[in-house]
Amino acid sequence: MSEKKTLAILGLGAFGQLMVKHLSPYVTIVASDPAPQAAAFAAEHNIPVASLKETVKQADVVVLAVPVPKMEEVLIEIKDSVKPGALVMDVGSVKVYPSQWMDTHLPPSVDVICTHPLFGPLGAAKNGTKGLKVVLCPLRGPKVQERATKITSFLSEHFGIETMESTPDEHDRELAYVQGLPHLISQVLINMEPLPRRMMTPNYNLFLQSIDIVRLDTEDLFLAIMRDNPYCRPVREAFFAEAHKLKTFIEAQGG
């Protein structure tokens, strides 16, 4: 039997903890996160916690599970500690800027794959992983395409997760609609609460389900989607412009 690979998880927030729970049987996990609650979680799961540099030195695979605004800072700190031949990935909700940072700061001897799990650790993943989707953006490296293929097979075989490949630019263009609009509308509805929950139409029930998913997300995630996706602003402005036109039309009809 081959020896387990070592996986370094940089950030033991909600998604880092989800990876620990699902990947522990398959890899040896080490982690870095200075938060007290992260230390408590790591101790509970017997995971060694160390500085960023010490954690990365041990790893065959490094996953950046940190907020997008912190990602470049982390990459600068670890760039000289990642061992040659390692695979480095992120799990952020936006891809254009993180891919640029990873390409700029990481040495050419490592493989780089940007990833985006299209589900939240506190939302859909609570009900199992089968049928969930992950986007892979193979960026560069000696074995990057081979590793992307292995990730696809591993996620499908063990978790029933579907993968699709994209470029960082394609990802952010599409997710500006797919993720940006639902989060924007849901946040508006959250701010209008309490909302009635007695007389429920199917469409209204879907709105409430969307609200209940988004309310679990952190402010960092919301801002990453709205601010750090370069294509989200024009989509958002187009939405508000159309909403204003609709408001004007309704008022013109006496509404």
Side-chain angles (χ1 to χ4, degrees):
M1 180 180 295
S2 60
E3 186 178 347
K4 283 185 178 181
K5 298 290 186 182
T6 298
L7 169 67
I9 301 177
L10 308 185
L12 285 176
F15 207 89
Q17 292 182 19
L18 181 73
M19 286 191 287
V20 169
K21 292 173 182 176
H22 285 284
L23 298 179
S24 292
Y26 307 102
V27 291
T28 298
I29 296 178
V30 295
S32 183
D33 191 320
Q37 60 268 32
F41 176 86
E44 180 184 347
H45 291 81
N46 299 313
I47 296 169
V49 176
S51 69
L52 286 170
K53 291 181 179 180
E54 287 303 316
T55 300
V56 165
K57 283 178 181 178
Q58 307 172 57
D60 303 296
V61 180
V62 178
V63 177
L64 289 85
V66 298
V68 173
K70 297 284 187 183
M71 195 175 295
E72 186 172 26
E73 175 186 329
V74 170
L75 284 164
I76 291 171
E77 185 164 349
I78 68 171
K79 63 185 178 67
D80 295 324
S81 301
V82 183
K83 66 183 184 180
L87 169 63
V88 181
M89 301 186 290
D90 76 315
V91 289
S93 296
V94 297
K95 290 276 116 359
V96 167
Y97 296 139
S99 69
Q100 292 171 359
W101 300 331
M102 294 169 84
D103 191 35
T104 297
H105 297 299
L106 292 171
S109 59
V110 305
D111 293 314
V112 182
I113 300 177
C114 297
T115 83
H116 180 195
L118 298 178
F119 53 87
L122 302 177
K126 290 195 306 183
N127 302 317
T129 58
K130 185 176 176 57
L132 298 179
K133 294 179 170 61
V134 173
V135 179
L136 303 179
C137 301
L139 196 59
R140 49 97 161 159
K143 298 181 178 179
V144 67
Q145 199 58 54
E146 176 187 338
R147 285 176 137 163
T149 300
K150 287 182 178 179
I151 290 170
T152 294
S153 299
F154 175 79
L155 293 178
S156 175
E157 178 183 350
H158 295 287
F159 303 110
I161 291 176
E162 302 174 22
T163 63
M164 62 194 79
E165 289 197 14
S166 170
T167 66
D169 191 76
E170 289 169 343
H171 172 277
D172 281 10
R173 285 181 185 275
E174 193 162 336
L175 267 291
Y177 291 91
V178 172
Q179 195 172 41
L181 286 180
H183 276 72
L184 181 67
I185 295 167
S186 295
Q187 191 60 55
V188 170
L189 293 173
I190 288 171
N191 293 340
M192 292 174 63
E193 289 184 320
L195 298 171
R197 290 181 178 254
R198 186 166 68 95
M199 301 181 193
M200 305 276 281
T201 65
N203 283 350
Y204 183 69
N205 189 47
L206 290 174
F207 272 122
L208 295 183
Q209 289 179 39
S210 180
I211 290 172
D212 289 339
I213 292 171
V214 168
R215 78 168 73 253
L216 298 172
D217 293 335
T218 64
E219 184 178 274
D220 281 341
L221 175 59
F222 179 73
L223 289 176
I225 294 166
M226 293 296 145
R227 179 191 60 206
D228 299 329
N229 182 335
Y231 300 107
C232 203
R233 180 188 290 273
V235 170
R236 185 169 68 244
E237 290 176 348
F239 173 79
F240 285 136
E242 291 300 324
H244 180 73
K245 284 196 285 187
L246 191 58
K247 175 179 179 288
T248 302
F249 170 75
I250 292 170
E251 291 173 349
Q253 305 307 311

